[in-house]
Amino acid sequence: MYRDENVLVVDKYPGVNSEAIFSALEKQNMRPVHRLDRNTAGIMILACNEEAEKELLFAFRSRKVEKIYEAICFHSFIKKEDALRAYWKKDDQAARVFISEKPCSGAEEIRTDYKVLQEFGEYSLVKICLHSGKTHQIRAHMAFIGHPIAGDQKYGDERLNKKYHIKRQILVAKQLSIHSDGILRGLDGKVFESAFEAKMP
């Protein structure tokens, strides 16, 4: 999709493991700096060298990477737009994460903003902005507020998933942009956009 001497940007298909992409590009010395869930489509960026890897990792840690997702979420939204704050905790043994309103032992604070773009009765097209990028953050946080991602088999609404015959979450990493004044300054403000769309089958 895009490549220069420092980065490679790819548009991942749903159903493809991030690790499969990393493995396929290993011989080209591509360096992964983040990942997407297997069934999430969209934009991923990899570093082409050690210096770019360090700068990208710093950009992700310091929240200088803006990540915009689009999703189909179930149930009608009372609030059409909100800036959510909560606490995230990962349970490795259960292979899932848990969200709480209040701090608890081992939990980290997360921020997830959303805006409803279109409504279709039982489901809506939603724009989601991550300010912290934790495992399953969008899926678990949206489910926590009563609006699970359509097709999500772990945190979703089983009845509605069956009703609409959806077996894969409808979630797309739609846009990614980097703010940098280092070796990646040529990408500063540039927006990479996925060709995939969040829509019902």
Side-chain angles (χ1 to χ4, degrees), residues 181-195:
D181 55 6
I183 64 166
L184 302 181
R185 58 186 173 274
L187 299 179
D188 185 58
K190 184 177 178 63
V191 178
F192 298 102
E193 184 162 351
S194 174

Side-chain angles (χ1 to χ4, degrees), residues 37 53 77 97 104 115 151 156 158:
D37 290 341
E53 179 185 25
F77 284 79
V97 305
C104 59
K115 181 178 181 180
E158 184 178 357

Side-chain angles (χ1 to χ4, degrees), residues 120-184:
F120 305 95
E122 288 187 308
Y123 59 89
S124 301
L125 173 63
V126 183
K127 175 183 175 181
I128 301 170
C129 179
L130 280 183
H131 296 282
S132 46
K134 300 297 183 182
T135 301
H136 298 175
Q137 180 178 329
I138 291 176
R139 296 164 58 192
H141 207 170
M142 296 308 290
F144 179 74
I145 66 166
H147 299 287
I149 306 295
D152 192 337
Q153 302 299 307
K154 189 181 291 283
Y155 307 100
D157 186 317
E158 184 178 357
R159 180 184 66 83
L160 288 175
N161 286 341
K162 288 182 178 179
K163 176 180 177 179
Y164 290 98
H165 308 289
I166 315 169
K167 297 183 179 179
R168 177 182 295 161
Q169 69 241 21
I170 305 178
L171 178 62
V172 177
K174 191 65 177 178
Q175 294 180 348
L176 184 146
S177 58
I178 303 165
H179 302 286
S180 175
D181 55 6
I183 64 166
L184 302 181

Side-chain angles (χ1 to χ4, degrees), residues 5-194:
E5 68 274 16
N6 293 311
V7 302
L8 171 67
V9 180
V10 299
D11 200 1
K12 186 181 85 67
Y13 278 81
V16 175
N17 284 321
S18 295
E19 288 74 15
I21 295 175
F22 303 154
S23 178
L25 295 171
E26 186 176 11
K27 291 182 179 179
Q28 298 180 42
N29 199 32
M30 294 293 107
R31 301 159 184 253
V33 293
H34 71 125
R35 65 182 300 281
L36 295 176
D37 290 341
R38 179 177 180 269
N39 288 322
T40 298
I43 298 297
M44 291 179 60
I45 188 166
L46 298 92
C48 298
N49 54 65
E50 186 177 358
E51 191 174 357
E53 179 185 25
K54 289 179 180 178
E55 189 159 330
L56 281 173
L57 288 171
F58 173 76
F60 274 96
R61 284 196 301 267
S62 56
R63 300 178 183 175
K64 293 184 177 181
V65 178
E66 184 176 5
K67 296 167 284 182
I68 303 294
Y69 290 72
E70 288 185 358
I72 297 294
C73 293
F74 284 134
H75 310 303
S76 179
F77 284 79
I78 296 175
K79 283 188 175 182
K80 308 305 179 187
E81 185 172 357
D82 204 357
L84 305 173
R85 304 293 182 270
Y87 294 87
W88 170 100
K89 187 173 183 178
K90 187 175 183 181
D91 185 331
D92 289 317
Q93 189 171 6
R96 62 184 296 138
V97 305
F98 298 91
I99 308 295
S100 63
E101 290 183 347
K102 298 180 180 180
C104 59
S105 177
E108 299 180 49
E109 187 176 11
I110 57 171
R111 298 171 56 198
T112 311
D113 298 350
Y114 75 82
K115 181 178 181 180
V116 176
L117 301 178
Q118 288 181 278
E119 297 179 287
F120 305 95
E122 288 187 308
Y123 59 89
S124 301
L125 173 63
V126 183
K127 175 183 175 181
I128 301 170
C129 179
L130 280 183
H131 296 282
S132 46
K134 300 297 183 182
T135 301
H136 298 175
Q137 180 178 329
I138 291 176
R139 296 164 58 192
H141 207 170
M142 296 308 290
F144 179 74
I145 66 166
H147 299 287
I149 306 295
D152 192 337
Q153 302 299 307
K154 189 181 291 283
Y155 307 100
D157 186 317
E158 184 178 357
R159 180 184 66 83
L160 288 175
N161 286 341
K162 288 182 178 179
K163 176 180 177 179
Y164 290 98
H165 308 289
I166 315 169
K167 297 183 179 179
R168 177 182 295 161
Q169 69 241 21
I170 305 178
L171 178 62
V172 177
K174 191 65 177 178
Q175 294 180 348
L176 184 146
S177 58
I178 303 165
H179 302 286
S180 175
D181 55 6
I183 64 166
L184 302 181
R185 58 186 173 274
L187 299 179
D188 185 58
K190 184 177 178 63
V191 178
F192 298 102
E193 184 162 351
S194 174

